[in-house]
């Protein structure tokens, strides 16, 4: 008998054919793909991804009574190790060296680093995390600023790889500074003598990878607002007769 190949419908025809019918025919998807998100609480290290695929093949075996055909399950698996690392987000905040200058030419800050009412309190912030400059536009940061009772006068957030800010606050000369991705400055002030005292400015920074939040960091800075008590080198004495 001549050797012939198996037709598509193995179950119906295999018992009629020669040993050429000892073949396999997989059915189902050949491949697929997907995405996964690592939980923010995950610690850095390798992540093992594994997948097992199942298929069925129709196999015919010759027996003393003829051909015996049936579906048999076969499987195969693969594993891949993916390196994962944490962004390790921190945020630096400072005011020293970033003072505005009053129109009269004096810095908007006292020598002991305190402020008077209506002084411009210029807070500079800069986030630090892994691959910040290499992931501009996909990994981004948002800030929640808590500053009561101080008033927020103006602010800039740099959402590009490099920004230059020329900020003008009434009563002060224009202030110019450059920032990299995620940095910026915010100007606060105390608007009343009720605001005399030390104030805590809190920044809650949340880091996102396109959509999911991947890290969070809280930073604070304390600023002192004092009342104006002028001290003179000499005083004018008035004499009454």
């Amino acid at each position: 008998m001549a050797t012939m190949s198996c037709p598509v419908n193995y179950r119906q025809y295999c018992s009629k054919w020669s040993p050429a019918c000892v073949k396999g025919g997989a059915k189902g998807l050949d491949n697929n793909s997907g995405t996964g998100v690592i939980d923010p609480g995950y610690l850095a290290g390798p992540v093992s991804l594994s997948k097992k695929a199942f298929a069925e093949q129709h196999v015919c075996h010759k027996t003393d009574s003829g051909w015996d055909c049936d579906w048999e399950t076969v499987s195969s698996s693969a594993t891949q190790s993916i390196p994962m690392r944490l962004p390790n987000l921190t945020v630096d905040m400072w005011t020293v060296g970033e003072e505005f200058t009053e129109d009269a030419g004096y810095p908007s800050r006292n020598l002991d680093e305190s402020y008077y009412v209506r002084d411009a309190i210029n807070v500079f912030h800069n986030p630090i995390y892994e691959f910040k400059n290499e992931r501009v536009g996909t990994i981004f940061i948002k800030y929640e600023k808590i500053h009561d009772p101080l008033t927020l006068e103006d602010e800039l957030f740099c959402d590009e790889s490099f920004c230059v800010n020329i900020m003008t606050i009434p009563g002060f000369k224009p202030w110019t500074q450059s920032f990299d991705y995620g940095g910026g400055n915010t100007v606060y002030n105390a608007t009343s003598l009720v605001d005399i005292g030390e104030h805590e400015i809190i920044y809650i920074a949340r880091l996102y990878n396109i959509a999911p939040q991947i890290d969070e960091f809280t930073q604070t800075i304390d600023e002192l607002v004092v009342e104006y008590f002028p001290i003179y080198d000499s005083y004018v004495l008035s004499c009454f007769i």
Side-chain angles (χ1 to χ4, degrees):
M1 181 184 292
T3 300
M4 303 181 69
S5 60
C6 285
V8 176
N9 192 333
Y10 295 105
R11 187 176 295 278
Q12 182 177 355
Y13 295 104
C14 263
S15 61
K16 301 179 180 179
W17 298 93
S18 68
C21 282
V22 184
K23 291 178 177 288
K27 64 178 183 179
L29 294 176
D30 293 330
N31 60 75
N32 56 27
S33 62
T35 59
V37 177
I38 300 298
D39 187 274
Y42 180 78
L43 300 178
V47 175
S48 180
L49 302 179
S50 61
K51 189 164 188 175
K52 192 170 186 178
F54 297 89
E56 287 184 315
Q57 62 180 0
H58 198 255
V59 179
C60 297
H61 301 279
K62 188 174 183 180
T63 65
D64 293 339
S65 59
W67 289 95
D68 182 17
C69 300
D70 201 0
W71 288 97
E72 295 183 358
T73 301
V74 295
S75 65
S76 180
S77 61
T79 302
Q80 184 176 11
S81 181
I82 306 297
M84 299 293 301
R85 62 188 303 165
L86 301 178
N88 297 317
L89 171 67
T90 60
V91 178
D92 290 337
M93 294 171 58
W94 67 90
T95 55
V96 177
E98 307 299 340
E99 296 87 356
F100 273 65
T101 301
E102 298 173 355
D103 287 339
Y106 299 102
S108 179
R109 191 171 195 164
N110 300 321
L111 294 179
D112 62 356
E113 299 184 1
S114 64
Y115 296 89
Y116 288 136
V117 172
R118 293 295 180 182
D119 276 344
I121 304 174
N122 189 25
V123 179
F124 194 105
H125 66 269
N126 181 53
I128 301 170
Y129 55 89
E130 296 286 344
F131 305 114
K132 178 175 74 171
N133 295 329
E134 291 78 14
R135 298 292 301 274
V136 173
T138 61
I139 295 183
F140 62 93
I141 195 167
K142 292 183 178 180
Y143 297 97
E144 178 184 353
K145 302 176 181 179
I146 303 173
H147 52 83
D148 292 340
L150 299 178
T151 300
L152 191 156
E153 293 291 341
D154 202 352
E155 62 184 334
L156 173 109
F157 171 76
C158 182
D159 58 359
E160 300 177 356
S161 58
F162 181 78
C163 302
V164 176
N165 183 25
I166 302 176
M167 184 174 284
T168 302
I169 300 295
F172 300 91
K173 295 182 178 181
W175 177 85
T176 302
Q177 186 57 273
S178 60
F179 305 92
D180 62 2
Y181 189 49
N185 73 294
T186 308
V187 177
Y188 306 92
N189 69 26
T191 59
S192 170
L193 291 177
V194 177
D195 301 331
I196 297 299
E198 187 173 66
H199 302 288
E200 183 180 54
I201 301 173
I202 304 172
Y203 281 23
I204 303 173
R206 297 181 176 92
L207 193 65
Y208 298 85
N209 184 358
I210 302 178
Q213 180 179 325
I214 59 175
D215 208 351
E216 183 173 314
F217 184 83
T218 299
Q219 183 64 286
T220 64
I221 188 171
D222 295 324
E223 300 301 333
L224 179 62
V225 179
V226 299
E227 192 170 355
Y228 178 55
F229 288 110
I231 299 175
Y232 301 98
D233 291 334
S234 60
Y235 294 85
V236 177
L237 298 178
S238 297
C239 297
F240 298 92
I241 300 176

